[in-house]
Amino acid sequence: MLRKTLSSWTRPSQLCRQMSVVAKSLKYTQHGEPQDVLKLVEDKLADPQDKQVLVKILAAPINPADINTIQGKYPVKPKFPAIAGNEFVGEVVCVGKEVKDLQPGEHVVPLATGLGTWATHAVYNEDQLLAISNKVGLAEAATITVNPCTAYRMLKDFVQLSPGDTVIQNGANSAVGQAVHQLCRAWGINSVGIVRNRPEIGELKQLLECLGATAVLTEEELRTSDIFKSGQLKRPKLAFNCVGGKSATEVSRHLDNGGVVVTYGGMSREPVTVATGPLIFKDIAFRGFWMTRWSKEHYNTPERKQMFQDLCQLMVQGKFIAPTHEMVPLDQFKNATAASLNFKGFTGKKFILNMSC
Ligand SMILES: NC(=O)c1ccc[n+]([C@@H]2O[C@H](COP(=O)([O-])OP(=O)(O)OC[C@H]3O[C@@H](n4cnc5c(N)ncnc54)[C@H](OP(=O)(O)O)[C@@H]3O)[C@@H](O)[C@H]2O)c1
């Protein structure tokens, strides 16, 4: 019977019929702290139709924006009941009969945002997914669409940088910060990372230097450093700020004439304050960046394809690794979500939900 059925089918897509997959997912029906509102539930998935794809999710990270979305503090508001999570890497299980470009066994990441990814399986539309090489590591693939892309765009889209130029960033040990250091190393740009002081500061500096940071300073060290004044490094043309408050002010003081500060996060929850002198005498500019907006505005563009191609190539070559992370099973979501947005800080790693353990 099976042989007869298979021989009469010409495309693997049709194997999708009657899969009867039961997916576990983390759902919420109201905003609140993740450990209070998320529930691990089981649902039978409908078989994928037409242009739909059944995906087995392999791994999905917990990013600060995911927590803020669950809390109701993010500009993206999901419709309830909602499945949490925005990024993932998954494996195509089977595809609907009108799917053209995806095959069972391929690895996929989301092209669309807000798909609800903290689940073991999901059915998505083909046009919401991007196939990526199975040679890209699990942690790298699971975290490619948000932080590496943010770093890539911020380095490309605000200031024309050439090898030997310098960028400076606070929150340099964040996942975005680690991506910035690695891309700068790949493109011959100097990157100066600013981090908060902590007992294991030596280890942290070493880690970031191994990733490609040209220099790593604490916020206190930056205030007295003559690394730019002495000519050791060119003054930065570009600064990235994910902290706000005084940290942003200090970073912007070191910019070159006409330099640009790009704010992409506000981890300290303090407003960005600007020193008057550099604003007037150096004509520095303050800009913002939101990856979600960029992705929507460049959904299927050659620029976006090129970006994923460049990042995947660096990952396969081992020149770009995932941020410091810990893989945790889906059912340990309470501890992992609580630890992911710890405002006392120094979490030191990204938690990635691993659906296969
Ligand atoms: N705009 C966009 O498109 C975009 C894209 C990606 C990320 N983001 C934002 O960028 C930020 C970093 O994201 P991520 O995923 O890279 O984060 P992550 O890996 O979880 O790292 C968090 C970073 O924030 C720092 N931090 C935490 N609490 C802090 C505080 N109270 N004061 C100062 N620093 C603090 C941490 O430093 P310690 O080690 O010192 O705690 C660490 O460097 C988040 O705000 C996120 O929402 C924005």
Side-chain angles (χ1 to χ4, degrees), residues 107-177:
H107 281 188
V108 285
V109 297
L111 264 186
T113 55
L115 289 182
T117 63
W118 294 356
T120 57
H121 299 79
V123 173
Y124 299 125
N125 291 330
E126 179 182 23
D127 65 3
Q128 295 175 317
L129 302 171
L130 173 76
I132 67 163
S133 164
N134 291 24
K135 289 183 191 151
V136 176
L138 203 63
E140 283 75 17
T143 55
I144 194 173
T145 59
V146 175
N147 295 322
C149 292
T150 300
Y152 185 106
R153 294 273 48 111
M154 293 196 303
L155 284 165
K156 291 265 186 200
D157 295 348
F158 291 90
V159 164
Q160 181 76 44
L161 293 169
S162 307
D165 284 340
T166 308
V167 302
I168 185 168
Q169 59 167 340
N170 61 21
N173 60 327
S174 66
V176 176

Side-chain angles (χ1 to χ4, degrees), residues 63-65 146-147 150 171 173-176 196 198 242-243 264-268 289-292 340 342-343 345-347 350:
N63 287 317
V146 175
N147 295 322
T150 300
N173 60 327
S174 66
V176 176
R196 295 195 288 180
R198 68 200 68 214
C242 72
V243 176
Y264 67 95
M267 293 303 293
S268 72
F289 179 75
W290 192 27
M291 193 65 224
T292 304
S340 290
N342 165 10
F343 278 98
F346 311 143
T347 304
K350 191 160 283 295

Side-chain angles (χ1 to χ4, degrees), residues 12-17 19 21 45 48 52-58 90-96 102-108 120-123 129:
S13 61
Q14 290 165 319
L15 291 171
C16 247
R17 287 185 191 149
M19 294 294 289
V21 169
L45 293 184
Q52 292 182 321
V53 179
L54 174 62
V55 177
K56 176 177 161 38
I57 311 254
L58 302 173
E91 183 183 321
V92 174
V93 176
C94 63
V95 298
L102 293 175
Q103 299 290 331
E106 274 189 304
H107 281 188
V108 285
T120 57
H121 299 79
V123 173
L129 302 171

